[in-house]
Amino acid sequence: MSDKAHSNGGAASGAPKGPITDTMKKPRAKRFYKEATAGPEVPFQILLDRRAVKTPKKRALVLPTRALSVAVAAEWAAQGAMIEPGTMPLTRFANTAIDAVADSLDSVAGDIVAFAGSDLLCYRAEAPLELQQAQGVRWDPVIAWAREALGARLNVVNGVMPVEQPPAALSKIAEALLPPDAFRLTGLHVLTTLTGSALLALAHARGFLSGVETWAAAHIDEDYQISLWGDDAEAENRRKLRRAEFDAASAFLDLLRDTQKTASQE
C-alpha cells in the first residue's frame, strides 16, 4: 500500500497509517504449473493445474465474483519461467483482503474514516488564485456529492491548519463503508492512501468520478508545482508506480461490482 501523504503540509502531519501490508513480498519462485484457471463455483477458487491456490497465510484464495477470479487467474497464467509478484497486483490485493483485512475489518474501516477527518479536499490553497480555482473546479463537486449522496457535511478551510470535522459527518463516512467487506475495504484503502482522500476513493468507487478524474483531482497541487518547476526522472518514476497501483485498485473495485448479484445467479 502506498504511504503517500496529503499534499497539504499541516493536514498531512496526522495522516493515519493503516494495518494493511504487502502480503506477497517474498523471493521469486520458479513457475511450477502449466495452467491457471478460475473455479466454476461461488466462492471462486484459483486453480493451478486444478489444484487450489493458497494465500501466504495458507488460506484458500477464493474470490467473490467470477470477473475478479478470471482476472486473477489471468495474472497467474501470464507469468513466465519465474513468478513475478510485482506483476500481480490483483492477486496481491486479494491476498491482503483474505490474510489481513478480513481479520481487522473495523480497524481498516476506521483508518479510512480517519483519512476523511483530515481529507485532502478539505484543505485549500491560500494562494495563488490559479491553484485555488483549479482546486475548486475539481474538489467542490466532490464535497457537494459527499453532502448529498452520503449525508456527510465536511468543513472546508483555506490553509493547512487542522480543522475538526463534525462527528456526524464522519459517522456518515463510516456508514458508507457498510456492510463490512474485506475485498471492498482493501480496494478503498489503497485508493484512499494513494490519493490522501477518503472522499475521492468513495466517489470513484460509487461511480461519481472516473479513474482519470479521480487521479487528476488527487494531483492538482503536484501538477501545479510541476507546471512551475518541472519534474525530475526519479519523481516521475515514483508517480508512474503510484499510477499503476491506482489503476490496479480501480480495476479491483470494478471487478467486485455486483458481488451479490453474481453470487445469487450461480
Side-chain angles (χ1 to χ4, degrees):
M1 299 264 171
S2 169
D3 60 357
K4 178 180 182 291
H6 302 235
S7 56
N8 296 297
S13 61
K17 298 292 185 181
I20 299 178
T21 58
D22 186 343
T23 59
M24 288 187 68
K25 286 186 175 180
K26 56 169 55 179
R28 293 191 309 162
K30 291 183 178 180
R31 178 166 175 160
F32 55 89
Y33 55 92
K34 293 182 179 179
E35 183 182 39
T37 58
E41 299 178 354
V42 177
F44 303 101
Q45 287 189 313
I46 302 302
L47 306 174
L48 303 180
D49 296 336
R50 299 187 179 182
R51 293 185 177 183
V53 178
K54 299 290 186 180
T55 69
K57 286 189 175 180
K58 307 304 180 183
R59 298 173 180 177
L61 181 56
V62 293
L63 306 171
T65 67
R66 183 178 298 280
L68 180 58
S69 67
V70 169
V72 169
E75 288 185 337
W76 287 89
Q79 298 303 300
M82 302 295 291
I83 297 176
E84 300 283 355
T87 65
M88 307 170 71
L90 300 179
T91 302
R92 173 161 48 86
F93 295 154
N95 283 339
T96 298
I98 296 167
D99 282 352
V101 179
D103 294 335
S104 53
L105 293 172
D106 290 344
S107 177
V108 176
D111 199 52
I112 296 172
V113 174
F115 264 93
S118 56
D119 205 275
L120 170 70
L121 274 57
C122 295
Y123 295 86
R124 306 300 175 88
E126 296 179 283
L129 180 60
E130 182 181 3
L131 178 56
Q132 290 178 319
Q133 292 175 334
Q135 289 175 341
V137 168
R138 291 284 188 182
W139 295 355
D140 286 351
V142 183
I143 293 292
W145 172 83
R147 183 174 60 249
E148 297 301 323
L150 307 181
R153 297 179 176 273
L154 295 169
N155 296 322
V156 176
V157 297
N158 291 327
V160 297
M161 293 301 294
V163 59
E164 185 174 356
Q165 295 296 347
L170 298 182
S171 293
K172 291 297 184 180
I173 299 295
E175 288 177 14
L177 302 176
L178 297 174
D181 175 83
F183 286 87
R184 179 168 174 263
L185 284 176
T186 297
L188 285 171
H189 193 279
V190 174
L191 290 182
T192 298
T193 55
L194 282 170
T195 62
S197 171
L199 296 186
L200 287 179
L202 284 166
H204 178 46
R206 294 198 172 200
F208 180 72
L209 295 177
S210 69
V212 171
E213 291 169 333
T214 304
W215 179 264
H219 291 81
I220 290 175
D221 293 14
E222 183 177 312
D223 288 341
Y224 179 76
Q225 294 299 321
I226 291 173
S227 72
L228 292 179
W229 312 110
D231 202 358
D232 58 57
E234 184 177 351
E236 184 178 357
N237 184 60
R238 288 197 301 268
R239 179 165 169 140
K240 286 180 179 179
L241 292 174
R242 294 201 314 269
R243 181 59 188 265
E245 186 85 343
F246 174 91
D247 288 343
S250 175
F252 186 78
L253 285 171
D254 187 54
L255 292 164
L256 287 172
R257 288 198 174 102
D258 299 324
T259 299
Q260 296 303 318
K261 178 180 178 182
T262 302
S264 66
Q265 289 180 340
E266 293 297 323

